[in-house]
Amino acid sequence: MAGDDTDAAAAGDEEPDPHADQPVVTAGAPSMAAEVAVVLVHGRGATADGVVNLAESFYRHGVAFFAPQAARSRWFPYDGRGTVERNEPHLSSAVDAVERALGQADDAGIPPERTVLFGFSQGAAVVTELLRRRPRRLGGAVVLSGGLVGPVGRARPSGTDGSLAGTPVFVGAGDADEYVPVERIRATADLFRALDGDVTERVYEGLEHGISEAEFDVVRELLDDLLEP
């Protein structure tokens, strides 16, 4: 989730919608024949192709992957623990990019309630922000080593409606993560509870900024449940 001031000059040169023309990488089952979709949101410095490769560890027959690519391989330029405004318009553009990937899954005939959002690091922050602004029932959401952008305790935008309506949400991180303090993970889980998600929260002892095998198991189990006849 972290950012740094080396991006300062570049950030000022960005277009109003910096992620607008970036591709969505697809993989897994052919989308028109898939039963379940996973929208994969990569972290800072990573790529859509990279997160698709990562997802091979939990691929199941009948699952299609949709992975949007961030411009310059980062969804926003500065530390997500700072002010939200400093990371605009990048953050809003990132939310829209993930929304377009969700739309691709829907256009392929995979409804939202059979679609899982998966985000790691900055990708987890973008997933959290999308659901904060535009909550809806999904097949699931997996938020790993990242989460709430801006001040801890930041609520949904005023005047917005919608609910996660019991969407299974998994929020996971390590207590040795140098970028994401445990209290921010707690606040992220609390936000999803306030949006009526069915939240599971796990903090792993000794885990740094990464994904544990236990977290991969969570995704496997979630997909197996969605694929059950």
Side-chain angles (χ1 to χ4, degrees):
M1 272 185 75
D4 60 57
D5 287 341
T6 60
D7 285 315
D13 294 336
E14 293 283 9
E15 296 295 325
D17 191 359
H19 306 299
D21 297 325
Q22 295 300 307
V24 175
V25 173
T26 57
S31 58
M32 300 308 293
E35 300 174 56
V36 170
V38 183
V39 173
L40 302 162
V41 191
H42 68 76
R44 180 186 175 91
T47 64
D49 285 321
V51 76
V52 166
N53 289 337
L54 181 74
E56 288 181 3
S57 68
F58 52 77
Y59 173 70
R60 298 289 190 266
H61 179 74
V63 174
F65 294 133
F66 299 81
Q69 174 64 47
R72 303 186 184 184
S73 289
R74 51 100 165 109
W75 294 108
F76 47 87
Y78 300 110
D79 193 326
R81 293 169 288 184
T83 65
V84 175
E85 291 75 19
R86 196 178 188 216
N87 277 312
E88 293 292 10
H90 307 81
L91 183 60
S92 291
S93 179
V95 166
D96 289 342
V98 177
E99 190 71 70
R100 287 192 292 273
L102 286 168
Q104 279 190 233
D106 195 45
D107 290 345
I110 308 168
E113 59 270 19
R114 297 188 66 77
T115 299
V116 175
L117 273 176
F118 173 98
F120 170 71
S121 192
Q122 270 202 353
V126 175
V127 167
T128 300
E129 185 65 13
L130 185 153
L131 294 178
R132 176 187 163 273
R133 297 184 186 189
R134 307 168 190 172
R136 82 290 301 264
R137 170 72 195 196
L138 293 170
V142 179
V143 174
L144 303 178
S145 295
L148 187 70
V149 180
V152 170
R154 184 167 167 252
R156 78 158 76 189
S158 61
T160 60
D161 296 319
S163 164
L164 294 177
T167 295
V169 180
F170 181 84
V171 180
D175 65 1
D177 192 323
E178 64 179 308
Y179 299 117
V180 189
V182 170
E183 60 266 23
R184 186 160 289 269
I185 295 302
R186 306 287 191 211
T188 301
D190 286 344
L191 170 66
F192 288 130
R193 292 186 187 101
L195 294 171
D196 301 320
D198 181 8
V199 180
T200 301
E201 175 188 345
R202 293 283 184 272
V203 175
Y204 296 92
E205 184 177 357
L207 180 65
E208 298 180 350
H209 196 67
I211 304 176
S212 68
E213 190 62 29
E215 290 169 322
F216 282 129
D217 283 342
V218 168
V219 184
R220 294 179 186 114
E221 291 170 10
L222 177 59
L223 296 178
D224 288 342
D225 287 345
L226 288 171
L227 288 165
E228 281 185 359

